[in-house]
Amino acid sequence: MVLFQQMLIFFIIMLLGYYGARKGILDDVTGKSLSWLVVHIANPALILSGCAGGQMVVKELLFTGILAVLLFLVLIISAEIVIPMFFHEREKRGGYKVMLVFSNMGFMGFPLISAVYGQSAIMYAAIFLIPFNLLIYTYGIFRIGKMGKREDLEGRKTVQWKPMLNSGVIACLLAIGIEVTRFPVPEMPMKLIEMLGGMTAPLSMLIIGASFRGLSTKKLITDKKLLGFSFLKLMALPVAGMLFLKQFVENEVLLGVCFIVLAAPAGSMVVILSKQYGGDENTAVKGVAFTTLLSVLTMPLAAKLAGL
């Protein structure tokens, strides 16, 4: 019920973003500005806000890190096996594979984890973000782009490594360092960080809602392959994954973070990478939009089926 209520709140804010976009208030320029605020200020602050108190021990950090790496490896293997079985168009396979592996951690995952499981859960999510970034800028680019790479000025094929060390990853590393060393953060800076982090959820949902402008709902719901992919992404994998993980993981907060990683909609980074590396942008836009809309209903349902 808590998850459903939170998703309903998110959906209402998305509707406000959509309304703002239709009225010309949230145009492309405004959307880019708000996205910059979320990516470089609000979300890193939200990540840092989870390190207050030093609740995790090194053993727990290591276990979470190993679990995060294994979870993403299983998702990649699943994508490599399952997607070719349903999508015969080679140019679409890469986008669907990346959408299956990488959920919307930044704009939906972190705000949702904070709202449902509390700020203490952000520390677990921050650990997941490190392999997430490492893999999306390597495996993601390799699978989504033409030949998996981009040409540099001399015509050589190169994978871009610099984006991996972004503000989100830096915030994760700082948060982990503070958590391990139990460095006492003064009250005033922590209040500032928490206030900035509090902007993440509403701004993110407004941006997502605004991005739906111009999309045809009819075309989305009549795309049978997209429907099948959405069921796999939002229901089958999360439910099966959580039923398996519950046999080995006792920490309910960590299980909740794993669920969000598995059940959240496809990440908006897929669209960005498709634009930059010559992937199938149309498929990426439809996949991200449709799974985001469906997730309002599927995440509470998947959580109930998984016994969370």
Side-chain angles (χ1 to χ4, degrees):
M1 181 60 71
V2 175
L3 181 60
F4 175 73
Q5 290 176 346
Q6 193 58 52
M7 290 302 296
L8 187 59
I9 291 170
F10 279 8
F11 182 67
I12 292 171
I13 300 176
M14 281 190 274
L15 285 179
L16 292 174
Y18 175 76
Y19 176 79
R22 291 296 297 261
K23 290 294 183 180
I25 300 169
L26 286 175
D27 55 16
D28 291 339
V29 175
T30 306
K32 287 180 180 179
S33 298
L34 291 178
S35 297
W36 188 93
L37 286 173
V38 171
V39 170
H40 295 289
I41 295 177
N43 204 45
L46 180 64
I47 293 169
L48 285 170
S49 70
C51 68
Q55 300 296 319
M56 295 180 72
V57 296
V58 175
K59 184 178 179 180
E60 197 172 10
L61 284 168
L62 289 173
F63 177 77
T64 304
I66 293 170
L67 180 62
V69 171
L70 291 176
L71 188 62
F72 280 114
L73 288 178
V74 170
L75 285 172
I76 287 173
I77 293 170
S78 300
E80 291 295 327
I81 294 174
V82 176
I83 295 300
M85 295 170 59
F86 294 95
F87 297 94
H88 301 294
E89 305 95 328
R90 188 174 295 274
E91 66 276 7
K92 290 187 177 183
R93 288 182 187 176
Y96 276 110
K97 286 178 181 180
V98 179
M99 285 192 290
L100 187 67
V101 176
F102 301 103
S103 298
N104 199 341
M105 287 288 290
F107 284 90
M108 182 171 282
F110 275 94
L112 188 58
I113 289 167
S114 176
V116 176
Y117 299 103
Q119 284 189 327
S120 60
I122 293 296
M123 196 63 240
Y124 293 99
I127 297 172
F128 276 80
L129 191 62
I130 296 173
F132 178 98
N133 275 279
L134 177 64
L135 290 168
I136 199 168
Y137 283 109
T138 50
Y139 171 80
I141 290 174
F142 179 77
R143 279 298 177 215
I144 208 167
K146 292 178 179 178
M147 297 183 67
K149 298 178 181 180
R150 187 176 67 175
E151 291 188 5
D152 61 14
L153 294 177
E154 297 178 2
R156 295 173 300 185
K157 302 294 182 178
T158 60
V159 172
Q160 303 300 300
W161 299 96
K162 187 178 179 180
M164 282 188 281
L165 193 62
N166 53 57
S167 53
V169 172
I170 292 171
C172 290
L173 295 174
L174 283 173
I176 293 171
I178 293 171
E179 193 77 16
V180 171
T181 61
R182 299 186 184 275
F183 180 80
V185 182
E187 183 179 358
M188 193 280 285
M190 184 51 67
K191 284 186 177 180
L192 173 62
I193 289 170
E194 290 174 355
M195 185 174 292
L196 291 172
M199 299 192 301
T200 306
L203 287 181
S204 298
M205 295 309 109
L206 286 173
I207 294 165
I208 291 173
S211 69
F212 294 153
R213 181 189 57 185
L215 287 174
S216 171
T217 306
K218 184 178 180 180
K219 288 183 179 180
L220 292 177
I221 61 177
T222 54
D223 190 330
K224 294 181 180 179
K225 289 187 177 181
L226 181 57
L227 284 169
F229 168 79
S230 299
F231 174 78
L232 176 66
K233 166 72 178 170
L234 301 174
M235 291 296 298
L237 274 179
V239 173
M242 293 313 300
L243 291 175
F244 178 78
L245 285 173
K246 285 174 67 176
Q247 308 303 314
F248 306 96
V249 181
E250 297 180 357
N251 188 319
E252 292 185 3
V253 175
L254 180 54
L255 281 173
V257 172
C258 290
F259 173 74
I260 300 298
V261 172
L262 289 171
S268 53
M269 275 298 298
V270 183
V271 179
I272 296 171
L273 291 179
S274 295
K275 288 181 179 180
Q276 187 174 6
Y277 291 94
D280 188 345
E281 186 180 341
N282 183 54
T283 295
V285 170
K286 290 197 301 182
V288 171
F290 194 50
T291 55
T292 300
L293 288 172
L294 286 180
S295 66
V296 177
L297 297 175
T298 59
M299 289 186 76
L301 180 57
K304 186 174 182 180
L305 292 173
L308 297 178

